[in-house]
Every structure is written in structure tokens, then in C-alpha cells.
Amino acid sequence: MSLVLLVDDEPRIGRALEFALEGSDFEVESISNAQQIEAQLERSRPDVILLDIALGLHSGLDVCRRIKANPRFADIPLLLLSGQSDPQTQAAGFGAGADDFVPKPFVPTELIARIQKRLDTQP
Amino acid sequence: MMTETSTSLNRTLAEYRKIMHLAPPVVRKGSSLIDVVAVLAADPRPGVVLVIDDNERLVGWILEDRLETDLTLLVSPDSVKDASEELRFQATRGLMQTAGDLMTEAASVTIRTTVKEAVDRMVQSQTHAAALVDDQKRLLGYVTLPEIMREMLTWGG
């Protein structure tokens, strides 16, 4: 069972993710406060991070840069979730160090394939 | 073949979980027409904009067709030659309306709804999509009729 950490301040995204991954080999943990992400990563290191770009007070892109700049967490695959899937937004996400980009709404088949691909390519 | 199709129609949507669209963009009842249009532009596939309340429960939807008339008239009034003054007035008034004013009752399903029930609800609402909710009527996403049909035909059920 692989652990997915969802960082999102909207509870409905967490419910949708749990629905999408039900019956799969993934377990979901969620946090809504991006300030707590490092503490959460120390406490329970996930196999994959799903981070929403729109995080209320915090920019998901800034959080992404912060995680990827930290040598202790930089190797954890990080996928950005966004309702904006235009090329500029995706480019900004990859520029911030994201490993992949998941547009919302997401379809379970594609989401699981993207997460699995990141796990398979991990050293 | 008839028996296979009947069997497929009696299956629940739980079997089509993997092709559902989850975490779609939404508006709240108090959202403006501009917000509604932005959400429709972000994901036009269902042909509707889903409306939720502060508890994230589905309270209705706004049909794309309903918006098209308003927007065409607002953006380019002369493009609709036969639009009556009354219709133009209504469209202009639409700018002041909220999602709560524009919404109608949504066709909704849960994963325990059968394919037949889902199709009936979509046909009744003259759409090709239905909102997917949980047992507390909180919005999860939506399903579309063409994708369910494609899945049934491609994979034999």
C-alpha cells in the first residue's frame, strides 16, 4: 500500500480523491494547512504528494518550490492539482519543480496511472 | 445481445467509477454570472455548471444553453437579429443575477444508481451529464452519458 499525501484546503477535493483511489493500492492522508507540510512529511513520509495550486492564503507553486528546495523531501514525487490546465499554468508548475501536473476534474484511471508512473520511475 | 444490454443497464454506476470526472469546478449560490462563465470555460464537458451550498451539497446546476442566450446577447447584441427587446432586457438583467437565480434542479446520481436510472434522469433533464453525489448529497463530480455508453460498448458491459 502506497501513501498519498493530499495538500488542499477544500474538503471536497479530499473526498473526491478518496473516492477515486478507493479499492486501489493507495492510502490517502490529507492536510489543509500548507504551513504544516514539512512537519507532516517528517511525521509520515508519503510516497507521493498531491498539491493543489490554489491554496487560499498560500500559493501552491511557492509550497512546491519550498519542498523541492529541501534536500530531505526533494525526492518525493510531487504532482500539482489545478483547475487551470492551460500551458502557462502547467509551465509554471514544472518551473516550480513539480514532477507532473493533474488537471481538475480528474478521472481515476488517469490519476492512478500518473501516480503509478511516478512511483515506477523512483530510484 | 438484448439480454446483455439489459444486464448492463441494471448495473450500478459503481462499475464505472474509473471514468467519472471528480473534483469539478463549481460555483456557490451567491456567485456572479461572470464566475459561472469562468467555470464553464474551465470545464465545458458536462454542459452544465454545478452549484453547491456552503456545506458543499449540490443545490442545482446551470445549463450551458441557458447561458448561451444571455452571453451572446450581452457580448454581441447585434449578432442576434431577431432578439426581442424583452429578451435583451432579460439578458442584461442576467448580469446582475447570481448562480442561485440562474440554477435549476440538477439530475444527480450516486454510485448505487443503476445505469438505466442515470440515463432516464439525463434524458428527463435533456442533458448528457449527471452530478455525482455522496450519501449526504455532497458533490463528488459528474458522469456523462457518452462515456458510460462507450465503456459499455468497448468493454462489453
Side-chain angles (χ1 to χ4, degrees):
Chain A
M1 188 71 84
S2 300
L3 179 61
V4 176
L5 174 65
L6 173 67
V7 186
D8 201 307
D9 57 2
E10 287 194 70
R12 68 186 189 88
I13 308 299
R15 278 195 296 274
L17 183 65
E18 284 183 8
F19 180 87
L21 299 182
E22 197 174 312
S24 70
D25 291 329
F26 299 103
E27 184 186 351
V28 181
E29 273 184 5
S30 302
I31 59 169
S32 56
N33 186 346
Q35 293 286 65
Q36 297 169 350
I37 189 166
E38 281 88 353
Q40 178 67 27
L41 294 176
E42 293 283 5
R43 199 165 39 240
S44 173
R45 189 181 176 89
D47 297 289
V48 175
I49 300 169
L50 284 179
L51 170 64
D52 202 318
I53 280 189
L55 274 176
L57 293 176
H58 303 277
S59 158
L61 292 177
D62 288 343
V63 177
C64 179
R65 284 190 202 94
R66 215 169 72 208
I67 299 302
K68 288 299 182 182
N70 188 328
R72 298 165 72 175
F73 310 128
D75 61 333
I76 303 174
L78 189 152
L79 286 69
L80 281 175
L81 283 170
S82 176
Q84 307 290 327
S85 55
D86 57 278
Q88 291 83 354
T89 304
Q90 293 201 33
F94 287 119
D99 296 287
D100 202 357
F101 195 94
V102 178
K104 288 187 293 185
F106 48 78
V107 176
T109 304
E110 182 186 350
L111 176 72
I112 290 170
R114 285 182 183 276
I115 294 174
Q116 195 59 56
K117 171 93 186 296
R118 285 296 137 197
L119 292 175
D120 293 344
T121 54
Q122 278 293 94
Chain B
M1 181 59 108
M2 183 67 82
T3 306
E4 282 177 18
T5 305
S6 301
T7 306
S8 298
L9 289 172
N10 287 326
R11 290 179 178 170
T12 67
L13 293 178
E15 300 198 28
Y16 301 91
R17 176 189 292 263
K18 291 195 181 306
I19 59 165
M20 292 171 174
H21 299 266
L22 304 171
V26 294
V27 293
R28 309 270 169 175
K29 285 175 77 174
S31 299
S32 69
L33 178 62
I34 302 301
D35 292 334
V36 172
V37 173
V39 162
L40 184 63
D43 182 25
R45 283 171 297 194
V48 298
V49 174
L50 299 159
V51 186
I52 60 174
D53 66 14
D54 290 339
N55 295 315
E56 308 202 327
R57 291 189 176 88
L58 177 74
V59 290
W61 68 14
I62 302 165
L63 298 169
E64 184 179 19
D65 293 348
R66 166 76 180 81
L67 289 174
E68 274 177 3
T69 308
D70 282 359
L71 290 173
T72 305
L73 285 163
L74 283 169
V75 174
S76 179
D78 293 336
S79 68
V80 186
K81 300 289 185 194
D82 58 350
S84 66
E85 283 301 316
E86 186 186 346
L87 198 57
R88 290 180 194 218
F89 172 73
Q90 285 174 359
T92 306
R93 197 181 57 178
L95 253 189
M96 311 299 289
Q97 291 181 312
T98 64
D101 298 325
L102 296 164
M103 71 185 189
T104 55
E105 188 180 353
S108 66
V109 296
T110 72
I111 55 168
R112 286 188 298 280
T113 304
T114 66
V115 172
K116 182 178 185 315
E117 289 168 336
V119 171
D120 286 346
R121 287 173 202 176
M122 290 186 230
V123 169
Q124 198 169 13
S125 64
Q126 297 184 305
T127 58
H128 63 272
L132 174 71
V133 296
D134 67 11
D135 290 337
Q136 282 82 50
K137 226 187 165 195
R138 292 175 303 194
L139 183 70
L140 290 169
Y142 64 84
V143 294
T144 70
L145 184 56
E147 287 170 317
I148 291 174
M149 292 296 133
R150 183 181 63 196
E151 193 75 358
M152 287 170 66
L153 295 170
T154 306
W155 303 105

